[in-house]
Amino acid sequence: MLQVALKEVTWTKDIFESSVNMPNLRTFTGKGRAFLRLVMIQKKSHILFSDLVERLDKVRSLYEPHAILFSEEAHIISGLLVGINVIDCNLCLKESDLDNLPQVVQLCRYLRDGNYLEAATPPRSPQPGSTGDSYQHVIEQKSYVEEINERLKLDYDLTEKKSRMFQEENELLSKEIISIKAALEEVSSERDCLRQRCDDSEQSFQRRIEIEKADIAAERETYEASRSGLNELYLVEINERLKWVECNT
């Protein structure tokens, strides 16, 4: 019923998954009881009831027409459930057998004997042995409270140790982060220096190439000029020889 009614409610998804995935619960009734207990632990019972009231169309077939959920007092009940939030519910769900609990809750032990509409009867006079019994009951309650206090103290000491350990780990991580940042800055500065050197060497190499090209061009011009001069001298000498041969013949 809750799964059908609260399918679109986002905050109940995690609680549904937690109650469904409990290994010791096998029936839908036990899982529903676990869901209600988890809602009480998170102090959201009034929100759950108000969400059910807002989505009556989805669960109308599951209730009788005279159910209190369809009455005008339903919104008042959701407001009254806010008072339960003052109680810190610390319920153990792992070891409890929620599948085999009685379907009907007997409230006789919580009610006063007789008709509550009748006038209150005067208290009975204490019996001779009742004082010792009450004193023994107080002693048992005191020992129980002391045991709870010792458990809470042990839990507090364990939590404090864990907190110190986490603080030390946090400090170590902070130091590691600072050292990593310093190393990154050093590596980035070295990268910038290497990049600057690479740019400078590339520029010097380009200048050398340009100088070499200029020298090669000058040498080529000189070679061509000297070659043309030698060709002219060679032609002059050939012409002189031809003239000499003609004169001798």
Side-chain angles (χ1 to χ4, degrees):
M1 183 272 292
L2 294 173
Q3 188 174 5
V4 173
L6 303 175
K7 187 177 182 181
E8 300 176 357
V9 181
T10 57
W11 66 270
T12 58
K13 292 182 180 178
D14 296 335
I15 302 177
F16 269 124
E17 292 178 358
S18 300
S19 60
V20 169
N21 295 328
M22 286 185 179
N24 58 336
L25 300 179
R26 299 180 181 179
T27 62
F28 292 104
T29 304
K31 293 177 182 179
R33 290 169 178 168
F35 174 80
L36 294 177
R37 281 163 172 76
L38 291 174
V39 171
M40 291 183 66
I41 291 172
Q42 297 184 7
K43 297 183 178 181
K44 293 182 179 180
S45 57
H46 62 288
I47 302 175
L48 176 66
F49 194 83
S50 61
D51 290 336
L52 285 174
V53 173
E54 292 176 357
R55 293 166 176 81
L56 293 177
D57 296 335
K58 296 183 179 180
V59 296
R60 190 175 297 274
S61 60
L62 302 176
Y63 288 90
E64 296 293 337
H66 56 275
I68 194 172
L69 191 62
F70 302 118
S71 63
E72 297 179 356
E73 290 80 5
H75 296 282
I76 300 175
I77 293 174
S78 62
L80 294 175
L81 288 174
V82 180
I84 303 178
N85 295 335
V86 299
I87 302 173
D88 294 331
C89 297
N90 189 5
L91 304 175
C92 182
L93 301 178
K94 293 183 179 180
E95 298 178 358
S96 58
D97 189 8
L98 299 178
D99 293 330
N100 298 322
L101 291 178
Q103 298 291 334
V104 179
V105 179
Q106 297 291 338
L107 301 177
C108 297
R109 55 180 178 176
Y110 304 107
L111 298 177
R112 188 171 50 188
D113 295 336
N115 191 356
Y116 68 93
L117 297 176
E118 296 178 354
T121 57
R124 298 178 180 177
S125 59
Q127 300 295 329
S130 61
T131 305
D133 295 336
S134 62
Y135 182 72
Q136 183 68 26
H137 183 65
V138 170
I139 292 174
E140 291 177 356
Q141 287 183 349
K142 181 182 177 182
S143 62
Y144 177 70
V145 171
E146 289 178 354
E147 184 179 358
I148 292 175
N149 288 330
E150 290 178 358
R151 290 180 181 178
L152 291 175
K153 186 177 180 181
L154 293 174
D155 294 337
Y156 176 77
D157 294 337
L158 181 61
T159 305
E160 189 175 1
K161 289 180 182 179
K162 289 182 179 180
S163 177
R164 291 177 182 175
M165 183 176 64
F166 290 152
Q167 288 179 358
E168 292 176 357
E169 291 180 356
N170 191 11
E171 291 178 357
L172 292 175
L173 290 174
S174 300
K175 291 180 181 179
E176 289 180 0
I177 290 171
I178 293 171
S179 61
I180 290 171
K181 286 183 178 179
L184 286 174
E185 291 178 356
E186 185 178 358
V187 170
S188 61
S189 61
E190 291 180 357
R191 182 194 61 189
D192 296 335
C193 292
L194 292 174
R195 184 176 294 174
Q196 185 66 30
R197 290 179 183 177
C198 182
D199 295 337
D200 295 337
S201 61
E202 186 176 359
Q203 291 177 0
S204 62
F205 183 72
Q206 291 292 335
R207 288 195 295 270
R208 288 180 182 178
I209 289 175
E210 292 177 356
I211 292 170
E212 292 292 336
K213 286 182 179 180
D215 293 339
I216 291 170
E219 290 179 357
R220 184 177 293 172
E221 290 178 356
T222 305
Y223 174 75
E224 289 179 354
S226 60
R227 184 176 180 180
S228 60
L230 290 173
N231 290 332
E232 290 177 357
L233 291 175
Y234 185 70
L235 291 174
V236 170
E237 185 178 358
I238 290 174
N239 289 328
E240 289 179 355
R241 286 183 179 180
L242 289 174
K243 289 179 181 180
W244 183 78
V245 171
E246 289 177 354
C247 291
N248 291 330
T249 56

